[in-house]
Amino acid sequence: MSGIDKSAAEAEVVRNKQLLLKDHVIGFPKESDFIISTENAISLNVPENSKGVLLKNLYLSCDPYFRALMIKPDHSIKTPFPAFTPGLPLYGYGVAKVLDSEHQNFKKGDLVWGTTGWEEYTLTTQTNSLFKVENTNVHLSYYVGILGLAGITAYGGFFDVCHPKKREKVFVSAAAGAVGQLVGQFAKLTGCYVVGSAGSKEKVDHLKNKFRFDDAFNYKEEDDLDAALKRYFPEGIDIYFENFGGKMLDAVLQNMNMNGRISVCGMISQYNLEKTEGVHNLMWLFYKRITMRGFSAFEFYHLFPKFAEFVLPHIQENRLIYVEDIAEGMESGPSALVGLFSGRNVGKQLVFVARE
Ligand code: NAP
């Protein structure tokens, strides 16, 4: 941008709608834990030589890890994540358009995904967590789902952690969500037998009919999870992709086969508890020589090019289905976020903020 253009545009200041955390959260989050604010204004121009980038946010990702960021830093349950600050906008993954840039790697008009604020416009200098949208033949929103965090989580957490082989028996919990639906489909593409669990009839139908899992069950209708797993896996489980924790993990441990692998992606049943549940069947780890490994998606970020090469043809040739649950507008943010913890979302939950 020329000097004349820049100073002429510097006058352009707009209201910036934001979603703020009201206070740290105890127990299950409620919609009233968040505030939509239009009090702040923002200049649509990046200060010269600041290396900043001004983003217009298009889609924002709702993720279960947000719950850990809502915990008061001095709470007795510790998390390794820096907490959100009450009174400030949440931050997380989003897809955005560059409106102005003083950074050599980004120019006006670029589409990017990565870390951004829960607001209409974000001025950021954290450019190492912004990535260019490489492929515009897919839905832009996929960059906060199948082509973003959820995708690399499912890919690394399944292939790198579990080393699946054809005909192995795979169980996925929270299977109809952003990550689970992909893990199940990756397992099917590998030739595995796959069963998923989810919390409603609609989700179970999706698992069996849309994502082509071999079978699925509603864990809320099962009084005895051990008995349910024995029904679906009479020959035992080789791989468990853990999203759930607590009583599901306990039941799975007793049903694992020799040399089984458990990929610990998350434990959403524990995130809102003031005291997390114990796990009682850990002895099965050595009875059955099971490998149980937790991971963070970050450790697989270097695999993004390989992952894109794997996943894009499957998307384009309809061998992979990706279901999204898109809430409209920043105002729908609180209910979309809270809904993650009551199972209201069917598929990847995100918020649509604005068109390009
Ligand atoms: P998601 O499955 O799209 O949404 C969350 C789902 O979890 C809800 O729809 C609900 O499904 C289930 N759920 C909510 N509260 C529950 C509870 N109290 N007990 C049992 N199930 C509950 O979310 P996602 O983004 O795909 O994340 C899935 C898991 O992966 C989470 O544990 C998350 O923390 C983890 N994760 C980890 C990484 C990593 O780097 N390790 C990265 C991304 C995600 P139902 O209706 O089926 O109950």
Side-chain angles (χ1 to χ4, degrees):
M1 188 182 265
S2 73
I4 294 172
D5 284 339
K6 192 118 196 167
S7 59
E10 257 163 15
E12 203 178 343
V13 172
V14 295
R15 293 252 151 241
N16 192 14
K17 197 183 288 177
Q18 299 175 310
L19 189 147
L20 318 173
L21 182 68
K22 194 167 169 187
D23 202 354
H24 296 293
V25 174
I26 296 170
F28 278 78
K30 307 175 293 301
E31 289 185 36
S32 58
D33 290 323
F34 306 96
I35 303 168
I36 303 287
S37 163
T38 50
E39 281 185 11
N40 287 318
I42 186 167
S43 164
L44 292 187
N45 300 98
V46 178
E48 277 183 54
N49 303 319
S50 64
K51 293 200 161 68
V53 177
L54 182 80
L55 303 173
K56 177 186 178 188
N57 294 312
L58 310 177
Y59 292 100
L60 295 169
S61 175
C62 301
D63 287 290
Y65 77 83
F66 278 20
R67 181 62 190 84
L69 277 56
M70 295 173 198
I71 291 177
K72 210 170 182 171
D74 62 359
H75 192 280
S76 58
I77 297 179
K78 298 279 179 229
T79 71
F81 311 110
F84 291 137
T85 307
L88 291 182
L90 307 190
Y91 58 87
Y93 285 97
V95 178
K97 184 170 189 169
V98 174
L99 287 191
D100 192 18
S101 172
E102 286 287 324
H103 193 284
Q104 57 182 9
N105 295 351
F106 299 95
K107 60 177 192 317
K108 184 176 172 173
D110 280 349
L111 289 168
V112 295
W113 72 275
T115 305
T116 191
W118 273 64
E119 53 195 349
E120 288 173 302
Y121 304 98
T122 299
L123 176 61
T124 181
T125 49
Q126 307 277 306
T127 44
N128 55 356
S129 54
L130 280 185
F131 311 96
K132 293 261 182 73
V133 165
E134 304 279 359
N135 194 315
T136 47
N137 293 332
V138 293
H139 300 292
L140 208 44
S141 54
Y142 278 13
Y143 280 89
V144 284
I146 185 169
L147 297 177
L149 177 71
I152 201 72
T153 300
Y155 182 75
F158 183 60
F159 290 112
D160 213 76
V161 176
C162 301
H163 306 287
K165 292 187 281 297
K166 204 170 170 178
R167 283 189 282 281
E168 284 195 309
K169 294 169 192 68
V170 177
F171 176 51
V172 186
S173 54
V179 175
Q181 60 174 303
L182 290 174
V183 174
Q185 292 182 85
F186 292 166
K188 285 305 298 172
L189 289 169
T190 311
C192 299
Y193 171 81
V194 190
V195 177
S197 68
S200 73
K201 182 180 180 314
E202 182 190 9
K203 292 183 186 185
V204 168
D205 286 347
H206 271 42
L207 291 175
K208 291 202 276 197
N209 303 320
K210 249 196 175 96
F211 305 131
R212 300 187 284 271
F213 282 48
D214 293 288
D215 221 327
F217 65 91
N218 181 348
Y219 68 90
K220 290 180 181 165
E221 289 177 351
E222 300 289 344
D223 295 331
D224 182 344
L225 289 173
D226 177 43
L229 290 171
K230 287 194 164 55
R231 208 162 69 236
Y232 289 96
F233 293 97
E235 294 167 22
I237 300 167
D238 298 306
I239 291 174
Y240 173 43
F241 196 93
E242 163 72 309
N243 288 319
F244 193 114
K247 60 185 181 180
M248 187 67 88
L249 176 58
D250 246 339
V252 167
L253 280 164
Q254 303 179 84
N255 287 279
M256 290 298 291
N257 286 334
M258 196 62 104
N259 297 315
R261 284 84 74 205
I262 300 180
S263 180
V264 184
C265 176
M267 296 194 172
I268 196 162
S269 69
Q270 306 299 298
Y271 297 171
N272 298 305
L273 303 181
E274 278 301 286
K275 187 172 184 315
T276 49
E277 291 168 356
V279 180
H280 305 282
N281 291 321
L282 290 171
M283 284 191 298
W284 289 90
L285 291 177
F286 67 89
Y287 292 164
K288 291 291 175 92
R289 295 172 215 161
I290 296 162
T291 304
M292 183 166 168
R293 188 191 140 194
F295 68 89
S296 158
F298 298 130
E299 60 190 280
F300 304 124
Y301 272 31
H302 66 285
L303 296 178
F304 259 116
K306 196 174 156 205
F307 168 58
E309 220 172 90
F310 164 79
V311 85
L312 282 166
H314 286 308
I315 296 173
Q316 275 147 2
E317 289 155 35
N318 289 324
R319 288 188 297 273
L320 265 181
I321 308 291
Y322 199 59
V323 171
E324 299 176 304
D325 194 331
I326 305 184
E328 294 280 322
M330 192 73 78
E331 287 78 3
S332 66
S335 73
L337 288 169
V338 169
L340 281 179
F341 302 100
S342 61
R344 195 161 54 207
N345 62 306
V346 180
K348 168 66 198 169
Q349 182 69 63
L350 54 137
V351 172
F352 165 78
V353 183
R355 290 191 197 292
E356 278 180 57

